[in-house]
Amino acid sequence: MIKEVATTPYADQKPGTSGLRKKVPVFQQEHYAENFIQSVFDSLEGFQGKTLVVGGDGRYYNREVIQKVIAMAAANGFGRIIVGQGGILSTPAASNIIRKFKAFGGLILSASHNPGGPHEDFGIKYNIGNGGPAPEKITDAIFARTKTIDRFRIADVGVIDIDRIGESRVGDLAVQVIDPVADYAELMETLFDFEAIRKLFRSGFRVAFDAMHAVTGPYAKEILENRLGAPEGTTRNFVPLPDFGGHHPDPNLVHAKHLYDEMMAPDAPDFGAASDGDGDRNLIIGKGIFVTPSDSLALLAANAHLAPGYKAGLKGIARSMPTSGAADRVAEKLGIGMYETPTGWKFFGNLLDAGMATICGEESAGTGSDHVREKDGVWAVLLWLNILAARGESVKDIVTKHWAEFGRNYYSRHDYEEVETEDANRLMEALRGKLESLPGSVVSGMKIATADDFAYHDPVDKSVSRNQGIRVLFEGGSRVVFRLSGTGTSGATLRVYIERYEPDSSRHGIETREALKDLIAAADEIAGIRAHTGRQKPSVIT
């Protein structure tokens, strides 16, 4: 039986760069999730009888919302819904399922790298038929609908068993529960030289992969240990838990410090890696060396031809604007296109669909390629392993040789989390007001060459995205970028990106904080961070 339930709008359902993210108690308010899901459906056309994919990272409230999605999909006229067993689907795996089975779209339930639990974070994101996040025209339409919604449609279907693989029917809706890992693992086998990686493991090569009790656990366990022959125990914390074991599933040097410390020890494994809540981010650490996400993007692009899926070469490279310029120098050498986009994976979708880019990356530890339309943590780990198997060198040797050839981009990101939104907005407005007067001025002994508020002109659909971050560029190639992030769930996060380019290989061994000392001082002087926020230091430095 289909019911139309009267409802009233919530004013706070504006999707950020990766969907709608709020605390669990917010989503548990009466009709809160239903309002947003119905607003998504009301913003789409032509899905009658088509397929919808749904799954998530296993966080708290995942199963409950999946039941709501199934009941509402049945009431709104979808013909089939594909669900990951147990409600599990990593974000890149969901993208692959949408593409492989030609689904109309998908709902991914995740708050990515943010904590999970009864009082922590939850999120809902809509992905379109190409497998990528909905573009702004759709998310804008969804937000507009949330402000006027007065009813939602839901079918009385009872509780659907999502733990047993197979197909059942709910009225006119087919509910198909699938193995969440199988299709993704099959895709990885088409991209990488699994036999070469097996040989690497047989040689005694040791890997430590921390799934952080998040969604990549089942994927890494199956691929690394079952298919590639890595020793049991290579994949750690591999059971997805609703609260991620009480930890913060963000693969950075703060929340995965235990892995970093292990990789810096004399008896460290050869390769360390981790992924986040929904499986789209990655952390790469070699024995004795941390590889920054910006450097990892450049290194993967420079060496991708060593993997079977990329042996024909790359069509182009894309990076988010705050990501360092390391990949730009690789693109220049390869003679391929280099595209600088706003933050948010959805901006890469057009470039990938148009065949203008093959590999994309963000400084926030997301890298991926045209195999799906999301960033992909396990993919990045497997490409690294393929490169290590093909080159027969250590991570440290590969990185230092890359710097010697292309120069080193010293890079750091300073996050000021949960800043009062008004204070953060005032800081950015004050910066915008200074843009015209900054060029030519000297700060901390460095001369500013240009300053602007980044605007992106999409070369494919000709759309323009403005106010994407304040860039201050110094003479000699160094820069500082200021941006407010939309991925948190309370207050605002001010992100400050600091980058220094060093072509001289004799100066590639400086400690990063020392190399960036003058730029860090300049950033505070230019933006008045302490004055506006009252913060004496960042919450997180990566």
Side-chain angles (χ1 to χ4, degrees):
M1 186 180 81
I2 295 173
K3 297 184 290 187
E4 277 215 351
V5 181
T7 190
T8 53
Y10 286 91
D12 63 347
Q13 294 194 327
K14 182 177 175 62
T17 53
S18 296
L20 179 68
R21 293 183 187 169
K22 301 288 179 184
K23 296 293 183 186
V24 168
V26 175
F27 269 103
Q28 289 174 324
Q29 295 175 95
E30 186 181 37
H31 301 165
Y32 192 90
E34 290 89 342
N35 275 20
F36 188 74
I37 294 163
Q38 187 66 55
S39 295
V40 172
F41 294 162
D42 287 350
S43 303
L44 307 174
E45 294 177 357
F47 58 78
Q48 301 299 314
K50 301 284 179 63
T51 298
L52 181 72
V53 173
V54 65
D57 58 15
R59 70 178 54 234
Y60 191 89
Y61 209 47
N62 190 55
R63 286 174 170 269
E64 292 85 344
V65 175
I66 285 176
Q67 295 292 336
K68 295 176 193 287
V69 170
I70 294 171
M72 293 179 69
N76 280 274
F78 279 96
R80 174 177 296 272
I81 191 161
I82 298 176
V83 190
Q85 184 182 23
I88 292 292
L89 269 183
S90 77
T91 292
S95 180
N96 177 50
I97 295 296
I98 292 169
R99 293 168 65 79
K100 180 174 181 176
F101 294 102
K102 297 181 169 52
F104 185 86
L107 286 170
I108 298 174
L109 310 181
S110 171
S112 188
H113 54 288
N114 294 326
H119 301 287
E120 296 297 348
D121 298 348
F122 189 78
I124 304 177
K125 177 172 78 162
Y126 179 68
N127 279 30
I128 60 175
N130 76 344
E136 284 184 311
K137 63 183 177 185
I138 292 180
T139 55
D140 287 348
I142 293 168
F143 180 46
R145 180 60 182 143
T146 66
K147 293 189 284 190
T148 61
I149 191 167
D150 58 1
R151 51 101 199 124
F152 62 86
R153 292 169 64 83
I154 191 164
D156 188 4
V157 299
V159 178
I160 305 299
D161 184 357
I162 60 172
D163 291 303
R164 196 181 45 169
I165 291 173
E167 188 169 315
S168 59
R169 293 202 73 83
V170 176
D172 295 329
L173 179 73
V175 180
Q176 183 181 358
V177 179
I178 64 166
D179 180 330
V181 177
D183 294 289
Y184 178 85
E186 183 183 298
L187 176 63
M188 293 301 105
E189 291 209 41
T190 69
L191 298 175
F192 303 117
D193 187 345
F194 271 35
E195 187 47 48
I197 302 172
R198 285 188 195 104
K199 189 177 175 184
L200 184 69
F201 281 123
R202 285 197 297 269
S203 75
F205 189 88
R206 292 192 300 141
V207 170
F209 181 91
D210 188 353
M212 305 186 88
H213 284 304
V215 80
T216 58
Y219 296 85
K221 189 81 173 163
E222 170 63 22
I223 295 171
L224 294 178
E225 297 185 19
N226 297 349
R227 301 198 182 200
L228 291 171
E232 189 174 347
T234 293
T235 304
R236 306 166 180 184
N237 303 317
F238 59 84
V239 177
L241 298 175
D243 66 348
F244 307 116
H247 300 297
H248 194 137
D250 191 353
N252 60 33
L253 299 186
V254 174
H255 300 298
K257 187 175 185 301
H258 56 282
L259 180 64
Y260 175 82
D261 290 343
E262 181 180 358
M263 294 305 299
M264 296 302 125
D267 58 346
D270 300 288
F271 182 77
S275 190
D276 69 327
D278 67 330
D280 65 355
R281 296 185 179 204
N282 67 88
L283 170 68
I284 303 295
I285 313 177
K287 187 172 185 173
I289 186 167
F290 161 63
V291 185
T292 70
S294 294
D295 274 350
S296 185
L297 170 64
L299 282 148
L300 292 178
N303 292 278
H305 63 279
L306 297 172
Y310 307 95
K311 64 177 184 243
L314 308 181
K315 296 163 186 166
I317 307 170
R319 65 166 175 85
S320 64
M321 180 272 285
T323 303
S324 94
D328 302 37
R329 293 174 178 87
V330 174
E332 187 179 357
K333 180 171 184 185
L334 295 176
I336 57 176
M338 183 74 224
Y339 305 95
E340 185 179 31
T341 74
T343 295
W345 202 260
K346 59 191 175 185
F347 292 102
F348 295 137
N350 280 352
L351 297 169
L352 294 167
D353 285 346
M356 297 170 72
T358 305
I359 284 185
C360 308
E362 297 181 329
E363 51 69 39
S364 54
T367 31
S369 84
D370 56 2
H371 68 290
V372 291
R373 293 296 180 270
E374 289 279 4
K375 50 199 174 194
D376 189 346
V378 172
W379 169 90
V381 170
L382 291 172
L383 181 48
W384 262 104
L385 290 174
N386 197 140
I387 291 164
L388 289 162
R391 288 187 56 163
E393 298 171 282
S394 69
V395 174
K396 185 176 256 183
D397 285 345
I398 290 172
V399 171
T400 52
K401 286 179 181 178
H402 183 91
W403 288 341
E405 182 177 356
F406 294 98
R408 179 175 182 182
N409 291 73
Y410 285 99
Y411 186 88
S412 186
R413 185 180 96 188
H414 291 197
D415 289 0
Y416 297 82
E417 295 177 340
E418 297 185 3
V419 174
E420 289 295 329
T421 303
E422 285 183 12
D423 293 341
N425 286 333
R426 267 197 295 269
L427 182 150
M428 293 300 287
E429 283 309 310
L431 265 175
R432 287 190 177 98
K434 294 164 71 172
L435 287 177
E436 287 187 15
S437 62
L438 282 175
S441 60
V442 176
V443 184
S444 296
M446 298 172 293
K447 191 171 186 180
I448 296 174
T450 61
D452 66 7
D453 193 346
F454 179 61
Y456 178 61
H457 298 260
D458 192 303
V460 180
D461 65 14
K462 309 305 179 191
S463 63
V464 179
S465 301
R466 303 188 189 280
N467 302 324
Q468 296 297 318
I470 305 290
R471 300 187 295 184
V472 179
L473 287 80
F474 296 88
E475 290 182 355
S478 296
R479 67 173 189 158
V480 177
V481 173
F482 303 89
R483 183 179 153 267
L484 295 185
S485 170
T487 57
T489 57
S490 59
T493 296
L494 171 67
R495 301 201 197 283
V496 185
Y497 310 85
I498 302 139
E499 176 180 2
R500 167 186 159 187
Y501 177 61
E502 181 53 71
D504 183 355
S505 59
S506 70
R507 298 180 62 78
H508 287 170
I510 307 170
E511 196 271 324
T512 298
R513 191 163 182 82
E514 180 63 26
L516 298 176
K517 185 171 59 177
D518 292 343
L519 284 161
I520 291 167
D524 186 54
E525 189 176 335
I526 292 165
I529 297 170
R530 295 182 193 192
H532 281 285
T533 69
R535 302 289 180 89
Q536 296 303 305
K537 61 180 183 178
S539 315
V540 180
I541 296 176
T542 49

